[in-house]
Amino acid sequence: AVAPPDRDRIVQTHRLTEAYRHPGGMQAAGRYLAVAFEESQGEELHEDGGGPERHGLVGGVRLAPGGMQVVWEVVTEHRGVPCVAFGRLEGGRFLLVIAGQGTQSLSFHLSRTRDPARPEWQRIATWEAGDVETDFLVQPSERTVWRRYQTIQLVTVCRDGQLYLAGLGGPRLPGLGERDWVDLYRLDLT
């Protein structure tokens, strides 16, 4: 193994939140980073008083030479948020995709502003498992429904600006052996 150069080191450590632990997936857009948190440390009671309920959290972090700063938060109704996708759209607004229920539910949020520090998120759509079909990328003759993803990412094609949601996962389907896979969903925000 080759040791990294001496100048490579951690330059800052910042605790993002006291109320949540176990960060999940994240995605950067410029100087901003969206981070998913899977588990809250506090417990709240269900409305009917029937036991603890935990909510997920997505935090927006501004990255700067002087430090990191949490500039927005979205608390979800999900028990945890394993991953999140985040990106700047053509026209300057932002899209935030929040995974819940082990990625069996996705909520899509569009910023009302072009300011990533004050996005004013508005929910525009929700996908639930079983609602979305995809062309199976390994065997095009087969069809499959939405899977449990380990991470999701927004990807923009430089050539034409088309936006995609990529869902990546590991070997969980019969016949795939030990291969990892990616499903690609074309997003049309109209």
Side-chain angles (χ1 to χ4, degrees), residues 119-189:
E120 299 178 22
W121 296 113
Q122 174 185 5
R123 184 184 296 209
I124 59 170
T126 302
W127 287 359
E128 298 292 337
D131 291 347
V132 179
E133 286 192 350
T134 175
D135 289 326
F136 194 61
L137 298 180
V138 177
Q139 298 170 345
S141 62
E142 249 182 272
R143 301 284 286 175
T144 185
V145 294
W146 185 261
R147 310 182 219 199
R148 290 186 181 270
Y149 295 110
Q150 293 171 319
T151 188
I152 57 174
Q153 298 283 297
L154 289 174
V155 179
T156 304
V157 175
C158 294
R159 180 182 72 243
D160 61 8
Q162 178 60 53
L163 183 66
Y164 293 90
L165 178 69
L168 294 91
R172 294 200 179 146
L173 295 178
L176 281 184
E178 293 300 315
R179 289 194 230 164
D180 293 333
W181 41 260
V182 59
D183 289 334
L184 199 58
Y185 297 88
R186 180 184 172 132
L187 300 180
D188 293 311
L189 303 175

Side-chain angles (χ1 to χ4, degrees), residues 10-190:
I10 296 172
V11 295
Q12 183 185 33
T13 299
H14 181 83
R15 185 161 177 87
L16 296 176
T17 175
E18 296 291 327
Y20 288 79
R21 61 180 176 220
H22 191 68
M26 62 184 172
Q27 186 167 10
R31 295 182 319 150
Y32 292 84
L33 181 68
V35 181
F37 291 92
E38 291 194 65
E39 196 172 312
S40 66
Q41 303 219 64
E43 294 184 349
E44 298 175 16
L45 293 180
H46 287 281
E47 289 181 18
D48 64 3
E53 179 177 324
R54 295 187 175 161
H55 299 280
L57 174 77
V58 175
V61 179
R62 180 177 32 230
L63 307 172
M68 294 178 270
Q69 177 186 8
V70 176
V71 292
W72 53 262
E73 292 181 344
V74 176
V75 176
T76 73
E77 68 275 8
H78 304 298
R79 295 190 130 239
V81 179
C83 50
V84 63
F86 174 63
R88 184 186 303 264
L89 301 174
E90 191 174 341
R93 295 193 328 178
F94 292 84
L95 181 65
L96 178 68
V97 184
I98 300 173
Q101 311 301 333
T103 69
Q104 293 299 288
S105 174
L106 296 181
S107 59
F108 293 77
H109 304 260
L110 182 63
S111 68
R112 291 186 173 125
T113 74
R114 290 178 176 87
D115 182 357
R118 293 175 197 80
E120 299 178 22
W121 296 113
Q122 174 185 5
R123 184 184 296 209
I124 59 170
T126 302
W127 287 359
E128 298 292 337
D131 291 347
V132 179
E133 286 192 350
T134 175
D135 289 326
F136 194 61
L137 298 180
V138 177
Q139 298 170 345
S141 62
E142 249 182 272
R143 301 284 286 175
T144 185
V145 294
W146 185 261
R147 310 182 219 199
R148 290 186 181 270
Y149 295 110
Q150 293 171 319
T151 188
I152 57 174
Q153 298 283 297
L154 289 174
V155 179
T156 304
V157 175
C158 294
R159 180 182 72 243
D160 61 8
Q162 178 60 53
L163 183 66
Y164 293 90
L165 178 69
L168 294 91
R172 294 200 179 146
L173 295 178
L176 281 184
E178 293 300 315
R179 289 194 230 164
D180 293 333
W181 41 260
V182 59
D183 289 334
L184 199 58
Y185 297 88
R186 180 184 172 132
L187 300 180
D188 293 311
L189 303 175
T190 53

